[in-house]
Amino acid sequence: MKQFFSSLFAATAFTFALFFPEIILEGAKYGLNLWFHTLLPTLLPFMILSNLFIQSRMIQPLMALPGKYARKYLGLSPSGLYAFICGFFFGYPSGAKILADLLKTGQIGRKEASWLLGFCNNVSPAFLMTYFLTEQFHHPEKIPKTLLLLYGIPASLCLIPLFIRQMIHPSHPTSEKEKDTTKKASNHTLTFALFDACISDAIAVLLKLGGYIMLFAVLSNAIANIPHLSSCTSALLCAALEITNGIPAIKDAFPYPQSYQILLPFLTFGGICSLMQTGSVIKDTPLSWRNYFLCKLLLAIPVLSAGLIFA
């Protein structure tokens, strides 16, 4: 049955591409433009630098002071704290990529990485402040409230249980395990070969992400061109697929502030495109994509509730 539906989907996609090439071309151009002008310059320098930090084992000294308090009060390792912070500042799928690399190099334990995965992979503040609130909605005064809703809620739901657990069981076995892991990690010196490998890895990941963005841009454009489909339904489907396309679609289909409130949980969830991107960077690790999906889905509920009350 699964093979039948896969074949049916492939045949439908091929037929659509054959009879509507202009829709495919328009969506592909938009996706590639988004990747080249937004994702590539934003993520490539950061991913190269982060790869260097991880592969050279520089995170431990870099996060030594804040890591000391994170371990004492939250039971987080310095590596876990690094992934948590970066995941809130650099956008999808940076947090997941960092956790996967830390896990592969033995600098973080599976249990800690699994807990952090659902919380430290978020839409970037730069995207929210510029594209979402300034360019699309023209409401920059919403920046503090939006940042509080989209980052404060996930951060609280992630850190408060860790703080309570650490207060009840200060010598939690996970914390000790992470301590042993970081002690065993050997130091690597910065070499040309390491630098070259970090650049190659970052480019390979970004090329794959570009493919996902282009594919979902085509799907969003195809949905927008379905005859007799209401603008509201089309906008909601586009937002569920890929949030960058979904923002202008929701803005045009719903009046403000309803459009703003609708988009808050979609921004938290990230869209199916970000889910696929996350799955691609954690596929060679024991991290669970299904658990990540459920966590993002559940996080969207309190964000929606708070948005309806305070927005």
Side-chain angles (χ1 to χ4, degrees), residues 27 40 51 88 95 132 141 177 195 220 265 268 283 311:
L40 190 63
N51 282 345
F88 273 88
F132 175 49
E141 75 281 358
K177 181 179 179 181
F195 188 72
S220 296
T268 301
K283 67 177 182 178

Side-chain angles (χ1 to χ4, degrees), residues 7 21 38 72 74 79 109 139 155 171 182 228 267 290:
S7 301
T38 303
K72 180 179 179 181
L74 301 172
S79 297
H139 282 284
S171 57
T182 55
H228 310 300
L267 287 162
R290 181 180 298 178

Side-chain angles (χ1 to χ4, degrees), residues 188-236:
H188 287 188
T189 56
L190 288 174
T191 63
F192 175 77
L194 179 63
F195 188 72
D196 187 67
C198 291
I199 292 177
S200 298
D201 178 72
I203 291 174
V205 170
L206 282 172
L207 283 174
K208 186 184 295 185
L209 299 185
Y212 280 112
I213 289 174
M214 184 182 68
L215 173 63
F216 279 90
V218 170
L219 289 174
S220 296
N221 195 42
I223 288 174
N225 284 276
I226 295 176
H228 310 300
L229 185 67
S230 70
S231 60
C232 294
T233 303
S234 174
L236 291 171

Side-chain angles (χ1 to χ4, degrees), residues 60 67 70-81 99 103 106-116 158 161-163 165-166 168-184 287:
Q60 305 303 320
R71 184 180 297 283
K72 180 179 179 181
Y73 295 108
L74 301 172
L76 280 180
S77 67
S79 297
L81 180 62
L99 285 175
L103 203 53
Q107 298 180 68
I108 194 172
R110 177 177 177 177
K111 188 173 183 180
E112 182 180 9
S114 297
W115 174 258
L116 290 173
C158 176
L162 293 179
F163 177 78
R165 184 200 66 183
Q166 193 66 8
I168 297 174
H169 303 289
S171 57
H172 195 271
T174 302
S175 177
E176 295 302 322
K177 181 179 179 181
E178 300 303 333
K179 194 179 294 185
D180 292 340
T181 301
T182 55
K183 284 180 180 179
K184 292 176 182 177
L287 296 173

